[in-house]
Amino acid sequence: KMRQITFVIFLFIIALLPRIFLLDVVPFSMAHDELNYILNAKSQFQAHENIPWTASALFSWGEKNFDPHTIISEIPSLIISIWIGPNNLSQFNTRFPYAIMSSFTVVLLYLITKKVLNEKIAKIAGIFMAFNPWSIHFGRTALETSFASFFFLFGIFFLLKTNSWKILLALPLFLGGFLSYLGAKLLFLPIIIICLAFKFITEDKTSKNIRPYLVFTALASITVLLYYATLDFQPAGKRVTELLFFET
């Protein structure tokens, strides 16, 4: 047990170091989406509202005065406002929460792989993920993909670790991923269905109580249906064509 805890701490540190090294210098600038989330987080902390012409995809229900190109995901700016709000604006301060989240994602990948396969493969996967160039790159930016990856992987890990009705406690984590990134909303239900099917077939060999799985699937399906049924009343509806291959 202590060896596993030690390795988890070691893995987090080796993942964090390349994600925070010279973080205030590289990348040398910030993209439009990054600035939008950062400034909105500052505004949420100080004024408890979004910056002008910016709207949260779902939480700005009925909002009309916004630019379709500045519609942001629901919770990233709210989460980072806890850190960004009381601190000075700098590239290091604004990107630091994302580097932390990305490093935890590496640990979660290790834990999931250990649960599904074995510890040896999990250690290899964790170390490869810690030094994966794309993972490091996105972990050093203030883009919402780090939050979506973290919440989805946390939800998968929690789902695999619990049994019976306790698996329903993983749903809020999946919802965190759903509300973290507009592009991840299409992955929400497929990931949940695949994980539930895998767990029921491979792990739940004792009771084979299918009711928690059906309830979990039903709640996730209702969430998706309600979200898409109300797109016309929320800002996210203005960006729906970006998620489809055709327009109606």
Side-chain angles (χ1 to χ4, degrees):
K1 189 71 173 181
M2 283 303 300
R3 284 200 301 268
Q4 180 179 338
I5 294 173
T6 302
F7 181 78
V8 165
I9 296 173
F10 165 76
L11 188 61
F12 178 81
I13 292 173
I14 66 169
L16 181 63
L17 289 177
R19 285 162 175 77
I20 64 171
F21 179 68
L22 296 178
L23 191 57
D24 56 334
V25 178
V26 181
F28 63 88
S29 64
M30 307 193 80
H32 173 266
D33 285 350
E34 293 180 277
L35 292 172
N36 218 11
Y37 281 101
I38 292 164
L39 295 176
N40 201 62
K42 198 73 169 179
S43 178
Q44 287 286 349
F45 182 84
Q46 294 184 344
H48 308 293
E49 62 182 12
N50 295 322
I51 57 177
W53 296 101
T54 297
S56 298
L58 173 62
F59 295 163
S60 298
W61 186 275
E63 177 68 38
K64 301 295 182 183
N65 298 321
F66 61 87
D67 185 338
H69 298 291
T70 57
I71 299 171
I72 60 177
S73 299
E74 293 85 350
I75 64 174
S77 61
L78 295 176
I79 295 175
I80 63 176
S81 66
I82 301 171
W83 169 260
I84 292 176
N87 291 304
N88 294 328
L89 286 178
S90 68
Q91 290 204 130
F92 183 90
N93 282 340
T94 53
R95 287 174 170 154
F96 183 70
Y98 295 87
I100 294 291
M101 201 73 74
S102 178
S103 300
F104 275 120
T105 299
V106 174
V107 174
L108 287 169
L109 178 67
Y110 159 75
L111 294 173
I112 292 171
T113 308
K114 182 175 181 293
K115 178 68 177 175
V116 175
L117 298 175
N118 58 63
E119 187 170 4
K120 183 177 180 180
I121 296 177
K123 287 182 177 179
I124 295 173
I127 293 173
F128 267 84
M129 187 66 170
F131 295 105
N132 180 279
W134 277 113
S135 178
I136 293 173
H137 169 70
F138 282 108
R140 293 174 63 90
T141 63
L143 296 172
E144 64 272 38
T145 50
S146 295
F147 282 87
S149 299
F150 169 80
F151 280 115
F152 277 134
L153 288 177
F154 198 179
I156 293 171
F157 172 68
F158 196 91
L159 180 64
L160 294 176
K161 287 288 289 184
T162 53
N163 293 297
S164 189
W165 291 101
K166 291 182 180 179
I167 65 173
L168 294 175
L169 297 176
L171 184 57
L173 296 171
F174 284 108
L175 286 173
F178 183 83
L179 298 174
S180 292
Y181 182 37
L182 291 175
K185 299 187 190 308
L186 293 176
L187 302 175
F188 174 74
L189 194 56
I191 288 177
I192 288 177
I193 293 175
I194 291 171
C195 290
L196 288 174
F198 172 82
K199 180 176 177 62
F200 184 76
I201 294 171
T202 62
E203 294 188 16
D204 201 350
K205 298 177 181 179
T206 53
S207 63
K208 282 296 181 182
N209 183 7
I210 198 173
R211 285 179 296 175
Y213 297 85
L214 294 178
V215 171
F216 200 123
T217 304
L219 291 174
S221 301
I222 291 172
T223 299
V224 172
L225 289 174
L226 288 176
Y227 186 88
Y228 285 102
T230 58
L231 275 175
D232 291 339
F233 305 99
Q234 49 176 300
K238 299 296 183 182
R239 298 186 62 179
V240 67
T241 55
E242 299 176 20
L243 302 176
L244 303 174
F245 295 107
F246 56 88
E247 295 185 26
T248 57

